[in-house]
């Protein structure tokens, strides 16, 4: 079920939610932004780097939801099946707020779905979930929202007019002062990259209710700084390794399969897509820190339509996410570690057939 903005915010404002948020900078900032609007006493949860939930995790979520009357899901791009499972197991209505491209819209009355970018966002009007929430609530920290956009778009944020609006709102130059929101977002990214879900779960509390400037709180956290430095060092090495292993599958389509410790595939694929803007780049990756496997297909080309590929992949049973934005077209597929090699080869062949 879908609601317009005002009824949706009336519902959230008069509820006692548990907020289930994505584990990246945008997810953390989305959660803290919504919590700041609602007020004190919000409980937060972030799933253990999975988009499909086990029975055990659903039971944990149901237990935590007992003292709440609604589950609010932010920036997780969960399938309609998973959203309905959450509602059924917790016996609570679910509100999902997102900004990812998808054609999988929940039809259940128990799931309220709000996503202004579901059909694609070629003009970059919805660069982060935190921005969606900022517009819904009218209450936000412009620097934090800028950081959420940088967290999702990286350097491409400099070309995004929504990012520019937030930066100019607080007197910052979108180009010259880019490193301020970038560093804020990267502090969260380090914990995400190294799989520190318990640290991530606690971040919205400190940002929303800590009493100090949120970006100052992130930048002054020594644990986050250490994790970020470790992740950045490994990222540099993995980008070089993935680049060296890139093989041309067909004209303009390149792929490589690698592994590493941290959850780094998004930034690896983004870096190579930026280095080779005329290519479609596919990276298969196993993260040993969490035993997660992913495949990302990314390109800066705007003449490529990934929607048919996404639909085909979903029809084959893959958990698929993605975005269709100016200079940022991406498909992300989450799979089990033991199925990585087979999935990599199958998806490689599928893309060859669909694109050429």
């Amino acid at each position: 079920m879908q609601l317009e903005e005002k009824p949706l915010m009336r519902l959230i404002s008069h509820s006692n939610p548990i907020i289930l948020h994505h584990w990246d900078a945008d997810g953390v900032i989305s959660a803290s932004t919504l919590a700041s609007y609602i007020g004190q006493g919000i409980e937060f949860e972030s799933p253990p780097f999975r988009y499909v939930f086990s029975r055990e995790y659903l039971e944990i979520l149901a237990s935590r939801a007992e003292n709440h009357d609604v589950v609010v899901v932010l920036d997780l791009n969960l399938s309609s099946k998973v959203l309905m499972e959450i509602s059924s197991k917790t016996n609570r209505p679910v509100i999902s707020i997102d900004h990812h491209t998808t054609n999988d819209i929940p039809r259940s009355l128990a799931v309220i779905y709000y996503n202004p970018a579901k059909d694609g966002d070629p003009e970059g009007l919805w660069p982060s979930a935190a921005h969606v929430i900022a517009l819904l609530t009218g209450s936000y920290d412009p620097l934090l929202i800028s950081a959420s956009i940088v967290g999702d778009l990286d350097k491409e944020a400099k070309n995004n007019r929504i990012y520019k609006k937030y930066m100019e709102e607080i007197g910052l130059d979108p180009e010259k002062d880019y490193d301020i929101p970038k560093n804020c977002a990267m502090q969260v990214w380090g914990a995400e990259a190294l799989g520190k879900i318990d640290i991530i779960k606690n971040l919205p509390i400190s940002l929303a209710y800590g009493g100090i400037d949120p970006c100052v709180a992130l930048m002054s956290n020594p644990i986050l700084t250490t994790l970020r430095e470790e992740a950045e060092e490994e990222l540099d090495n993995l980008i070089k390794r993935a680049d060296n292993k890139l093989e041309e599958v067909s004209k303009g389509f390149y792929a490589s399969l690698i592994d590493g410790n941290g959850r780094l595939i998004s930034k690896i694929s983004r870096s190579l897509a930026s280095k080779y803007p005329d290519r479609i780049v596919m990276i298969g990756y196993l993260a040993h820190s969490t035993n997660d496997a992913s495949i990302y297909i990314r390109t800066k080309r705007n003449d490529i339509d990934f929607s048919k590929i996404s639909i085909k992949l979903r029809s084959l049973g893959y958990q698929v996410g993605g975005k269709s934005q100016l200079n940022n077209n991406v498909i992300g597929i989450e799979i089990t570690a033991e199925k990585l090699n087979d999935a990599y080869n199958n998806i490689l062949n599928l893309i060859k057939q669909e694109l050429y």
Side-chain angles (χ1 to χ4, degrees):
M1 180 172 65
Q2 300 183 68
L3 286 182
E4 296 300 320
E5 290 87 344
K6 289 183 179 180
L8 174 63
M9 292 317 297
R10 278 199 299 269
L11 177 60
I12 292 176
S13 299
H14 292 88
S15 67
N16 173 28
I18 178 170
I19 295 179
L20 184 67
H21 63 89
H22 195 236
W23 46 78
D24 66 359
D26 186 22
V28 168
I29 293 169
S30 295
S32 66
T33 300
L34 186 58
S36 296
Y37 171 76
I38 297 172
Q40 294 283 340
I42 304 300
E43 190 171 359
F44 302 93
E45 172 63 22
S46 188
F49 305 111
R50 296 287 188 277
Y51 295 100
V52 177
F53 298 163
S54 67
R55 180 182 302 174
E56 292 76 16
Y57 183 73
L58 285 170
E59 289 175 353
I60 292 171
L61 191 58
S63 176
R64 295 196 61 188
E66 285 181 355
N67 296 324
H68 304 276
D69 52 21
V70 65
V71 180
V72 177
V73 179
L74 302 179
D75 192 38
L76 273 167
N77 193 30
L78 297 178
S79 68
S80 58
K81 178 177 182 291
V82 174
L83 290 171
M84 288 186 284
E85 285 176 345
I86 294 172
S87 179
S88 175
K89 190 65 178 179
T90 61
N91 196 28
R92 301 288 187 273
V94 170
I95 300 173
S96 178
I97 302 175
D98 219 303
H99 75 123
H100 292 83
T101 303
T102 182
N103 64 347
D104 184 12
I105 311 302
R107 306 300 178 189
S108 169
L109 292 176
V111 179
I112 297 169
Y113 187 75
Y114 184 81
N115 180 356
K118 64 183 183 300
D119 297 321
D121 184 24
E123 297 182 14
L125 299 178
W126 309 104
S128 72
H131 165 60
V132 175
I133 293 166
L135 289 187
L136 284 171
T137 64
S139 175
Y140 56 87
D141 180 319
L143 183 54
L144 265 189
I145 307 301
S146 299
S148 76
I149 297 172
V150 172
D152 269 18
L153 297 185
D154 203 65
K155 292 180 181 178
E156 286 299 325
K158 296 179 182 179
N159 301 316
N160 181 271
R161 57 177 162 169
I162 306 301
Y163 161 77
K164 292 177 181 178
K165 178 190 81 72
Y166 284 113
M167 290 289 281
E168 291 166 354
E169 190 174 326
I170 47 176
L172 294 177
D173 186 287
E175 181 81 27
K176 295 179 180 177
D177 296 320
Y178 166 78
D179 282 347
I180 297 175
K182 176 188 175 183
N183 286 328
C184 185
M186 290 293 283
Q187 291 290 98
V188 180
W189 169 78
E192 173 199 355
L194 297 183
K196 305 299 183 182
I197 196 68
D198 289 337
I199 292 176
I200 291 168
K201 289 179 184 180
N202 289 318
L203 288 178
I205 297 174
S206 62
L207 298 185
Y209 309 132
I212 63 173
D213 180 272
C215 274
V216 171
L218 289 172
M219 293 304 300
S220 60
N221 187 315
I223 296 175
L224 294 181
T225 299
T226 299
L227 293 173
R228 171 185 174 176
E229 290 172 350
E230 291 178 12
E232 285 178 329
E233 182 177 358
E234 184 183 16
L235 177 63
D236 289 342
N237 294 329
L238 287 174
I239 289 172
K240 293 174 184 176
R241 179 142 59 98
D243 193 1
N244 290 335
K245 292 187 68 176
L246 276 180
E247 295 183 356
E248 187 171 17
V249 180
S250 55
K251 185 178 179 181
F253 175 37
Y254 290 74
S256 69
L257 179 63
I258 62 171
D259 66 313
N261 180 52
R263 295 173 48 83
L264 300 166
I265 184 172
S266 180
K267 287 192 177 295
I268 294 168
S269 65
R270 186 188 298 278
S271 176
L272 295 179
S274 295
K275 183 176 180 179
Y276 306 112
D278 58 334
R279 297 181 182 179
I280 299 167
V281 175
M282 174 172 143
I283 304 294
Y285 182 74
L286 173 62
H288 293 293
S289 62
T290 53
N291 198 37
D292 289 334
S294 306
I295 295 172
Y296 270 47
I297 306 111
R298 194 186 290 267
T299 185
K300 291 173 69 69
R301 290 171 54 180
N302 296 308
D303 62 326
I304 302 295
D305 182 7
F306 279 166
S307 60
K308 291 183 179 178
I309 297 175
S310 295
I311 293 170
K312 182 69 173 179
L313 288 168
R314 289 193 186 96
S315 73
L316 296 174
Y318 290 110
Q319 176 67 34
V320 180
K323 293 175 185 173
S324 178
Q325 299 170 325
L326 186 66
N327 300 323
N328 183 40
N329 295 289
V330 58
I331 296 173
I333 306 111
E334 303 292 327
I335 50 182
T336 58
E338 60 271 16
K339 294 182 179 179
L340 174 59
N341 289 338
D342 288 344
Y344 178 84
N345 290 323
N346 291 338
I347 293 170
L348 202 71
N349 291 326
L350 184 149
I351 293 173
K352 285 170 59 180
Q353 294 170 9
E354 292 294 325
L355 290 181
Y356 301 100

